[in-house]
């Protein structure tokens, strides 16, 4: 295969409503699509950092700059179209997981298309629908939260996750339990608590939650282990699950009992699959998380989520949940039974919507 071009499309797609976590909020989803055109097929990946530095050190600006100035020129100087070998090359650069995930995703998609097989098959997964759960941010009032929970349950989602922060936790969980009973429910603290807050978790422990996601700071792996010994609700690590080395420490210390695997944070499908395999060997069940992302990264994550140790529902939701219009066709849809069925076809199954990219494009560069 001969590479004809790499195109970077920085798109900005508005959210239906601002995306809020304990660290801040954003109203537009930024993503950089990496299009890798060869004489045989065109692969697409998505680098999907969140705007504002509250979620990660990387921003859309820094990811764009790293892709255009470093990663794409280095890739073109020494192209590697085998996705696993490509990732080994990319791993030589320190940091920048979002940029790497974008380029590596394009190489995976290209390879699957070239072989005429769905991406899940190339990744070693199974042809199965993925259960989807709804993630609900922080709202000014409990009533607004309950209204969202009701809507997502009606839409069929397989579990409800609500965000919590110090001072707004037990009250929210109690309100959801009182209104909706014994639904599959979990909370996500986004690392907003300290070890001194453990009474809140001992109280939350009484509500039969599926899991408590990332109560403490990213690097607080010993403290998570300590908290996990005190409560029976499984702790799920998200922000802490940032590299294969971190996962090995989590396993060794028993910092939690569940992992949230995010392709973007780990730097691509290859490292995410390595983490999945390490967790599986250690008996640590996983689920596939999102930040959220646009359709290309979401679709590739769904293919990965067909691997056997992705046990709990994914955070990937219907495209329409976040965006008036996504950048893939068909959009990602959730069945009334709360499942996402990946469309048949080589590669992602979903196609990139060129018109949507042009509508939302903010910057463009071709190499
Ligand atoms: Mg989380």
């Amino acid at each position: 295969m001969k590479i004809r071009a790499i195109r970077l499309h920085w798109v900005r797609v508005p959210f239906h409503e601002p995306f809020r976590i304990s660290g801040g909020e954003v109203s537009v989803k930024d993503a950089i699509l990496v299009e890798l055109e060869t004489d045989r097929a065109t692969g697409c990946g998505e680098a999907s950092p969140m705007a504002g530095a509250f979620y990660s050190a990387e921003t859309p600006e820094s990811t764009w700059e790293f892709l255009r100035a470093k990663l794409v020129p280095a890739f073109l100087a020494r192209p590697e179209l085998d996705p696993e070998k490509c990732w080994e090359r990319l791993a030589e650069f320190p940091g920048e997981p979002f940029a790497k995930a974008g380029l590596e995703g394009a190489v995976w998609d290209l390879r699957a298309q070239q072989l005429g097989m769905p991406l899940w098959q190339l990744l070693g997964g199974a042809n199965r629908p993925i259960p989807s759960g709804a993630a609900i941010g922080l709202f000014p009032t409990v009533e607004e939260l309950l209204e969202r929970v009701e809507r997502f349950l009606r839409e069929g989602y397989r579990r409800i996750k609500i965000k919590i922060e110090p001072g707004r936790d037990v009250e929210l969980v109690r309100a959801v339990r009182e209104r909706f009973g014994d639904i599959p429910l979990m909370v996500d603290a986004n690392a907003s608590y300290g070890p001194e807050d453990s009474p809140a978790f001992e109280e939350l422990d009484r509500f039969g939650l599926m899991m408590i996601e990332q109560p403490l700071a990213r690097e607080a792996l010993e403290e998570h282990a300590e908290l996990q010994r005190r409560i029976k609700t499984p702790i799920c690590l998200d922000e802490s699950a940032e590299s294969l080395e971190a996962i090995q420490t989590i396993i060794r210390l028993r910092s939690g009992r569940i992992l949230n695997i995010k392709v973007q944070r780990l730097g691509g499908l290859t490292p995410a699959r390595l983490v999945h395999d390490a967790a599986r060997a250690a008996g640590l069940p996983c689920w596939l998380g999102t930040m959220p992302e646009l359709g290309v990264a979401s679709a590739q994550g769904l293919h990965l989520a067909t691997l056997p140790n992705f046990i709990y529902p994914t955070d990937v939701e219907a495209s329409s949940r976040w965006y008036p219009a996504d950048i893939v066709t068909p959009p990602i849809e959730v069945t009334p039974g709360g499942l996402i069925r990946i469309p048949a076809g080589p590669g992602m199954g979903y196609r990139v919507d060129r018109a949507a990219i042009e509508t939302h494009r903010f910057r463009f560069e071709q190499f």
Side-chain angles (χ1 to χ4, degrees):
M1 270 190 300
K2 271 183 55 189
I3 295 175
R4 283 192 181 142
I6 292 183
R7 285 181 286 274
L8 300 178
H9 310 261
W10 181 347
V11 294
R12 311 191 77 189
V13 177
F15 284 116
H16 280 306
E17 61 185 12
F19 178 80
R20 298 189 195 94
I21 63 167
S22 59
E25 71 168 59
V26 287
S27 58
V28 171
K29 172 63 197 144
D30 287 86
I32 299 155
L33 300 176
V34 181
E35 225 183 346
L36 172 55
E37 185 191 331
T38 69
D39 52 350
R40 302 268 297 278
T42 298
C44 193
E46 175 182 332
S48 214
M50 197 63 104
F54 64 85
Y55 211 99
S56 65
E58 295 80 13
T59 62
E61 291 75 14
S62 68
T63 300
W64 170 263
E65 203 45 41
F66 184 73
L67 273 165
R68 62 170 291 283
K70 293 256 175 66
L71 213 57
V72 170
F75 178 83
L76 286 172
R78 212 159 56 112
E80 176 53 72
L81 296 176
D82 176 302
E84 287 168 87
K85 289 190 190 137
C86 170
W87 182 70
E88 285 169 23
R89 294 255 183 97
L90 301 183
E92 290 167 14
F93 292 89
E96 302 292 346
F98 297 87
K100 291 173 183 170
L103 181 53
E104 195 242 23
V107 174
W108 274 103
D109 181 38
L110 178 69
R111 171 55 65 97
Q113 289 185 53
Q114 180 211 349
L115 297 174
M117 64 168 63
L119 181 56
W120 58 259
Q121 190 177 358
L122 184 60
L123 287 163
N127 186 11
R128 66 175 172 105
I130 307 301
S132 172
I136 305 177
L138 289 160
F139 284 93
T141 67
V142 174
E143 208 41 54
E144 283 170 275
L145 168 68
L146 295 176
E147 187 269 317
R148 260 68 174 192
V149 174
E150 184 173 13
R151 186 201 309 170
F152 292 122
L153 287 173
R154 200 168 54 229
E155 289 176 9
Y157 285 98
R158 291 288 185 102
R159 62 108 174 100
I160 297 293
K161 160 165 131 178
I162 64 172
K163 300 277 183 178
I164 58 170
E165 64 181 6
R168 291 211 287 168
D169 39 42
V170 176
E171 174 205 5
L172 302 183
V173 170
R174 182 179 292 120
V176 173
R177 277 280 184 248
E178 279 174 3
R179 178 82 62 95
F180 302 101
D182 192 25
I183 59 166
L185 179 67
M186 59 179 282
V187 295
D188 186 359
N190 286 110
S192 57
Y193 291 79
E196 71 284 2
D197 294 315
S198 76
F201 295 105
E202 281 156 24
E203 262 198 86
L204 286 171
D205 208 19
R206 303 203 308 259
F207 288 94
L209 298 170
M210 296 169 76
M211 65 192 87
I212 297 173
E213 186 176 346
Q214 196 71 38
L216 309 175
R218 178 179 55 81
E219 64 284 0
L221 297 180
E222 301 266 10
E223 292 84 350
H224 274 107
E226 172 61 28
L227 180 59
Q228 181 66 90
R229 282 192 286 275
R230 299 240 293 278
I231 61 176
K232 59 181 193 297
T233 309
I235 289 176
C236 169
L237 294 161
D238 176 11
E239 282 85 344
S240 296
E242 58 183 342
S243 64
L244 189 55
E245 300 73 57
I247 273 73
Q248 278 151 353
T249 309
I250 288 166
I251 291 168
R252 182 167 51 79
L253 296 175
R254 301 177 192 228
S255 307
R257 296 195 195 129
I258 298 172
L259 279 190
N260 174 350
I261 294 184
K262 283 183 173 154
V263 175
Q264 293 285 319
R265 181 178 49 227
L266 290 164
L269 293 162
T270 307
R273 189 173 60 173
L274 288 171
V275 166
H276 163 277
D277 294 349
R280 189 185 189 199
L284 199 60
C286 303
W287 51 280
L288 182 99
T290 167
M291 290 185 162
E293 292 123 33
L294 292 176
V296 170
S298 300
Q300 295 184 352
L302 289 169
H303 281 268
L304 186 75
T306 68
L307 291 173
N309 196 40
F310 286 103
I311 307 285
Y312 296 97
T314 178
D315 258 0
V316 175
E317 297 152 281
S319 296
S320 61
R321 186 270 190 258
W322 292 110
Y323 315 108
D326 203 340
I327 53 153
V328 292
T329 52
I332 293 170
E333 284 167 338
V334 175
T335 69
L339 298 173
I340 300 175
R341 297 185 195 282
I342 298 172
M348 287 188 279
Y350 299 89
R351 279 174 299 110
V352 174
D353 183 340
R354 319 255 11 142
I357 289 180
E358 275 163 37
T359 304
H360 298 295
R361 192 156 54 203
F362 170 61
R363 275 191 197 156
F364 174 75
E365 193 158 340
Q366 173 159 306
F367 300 81

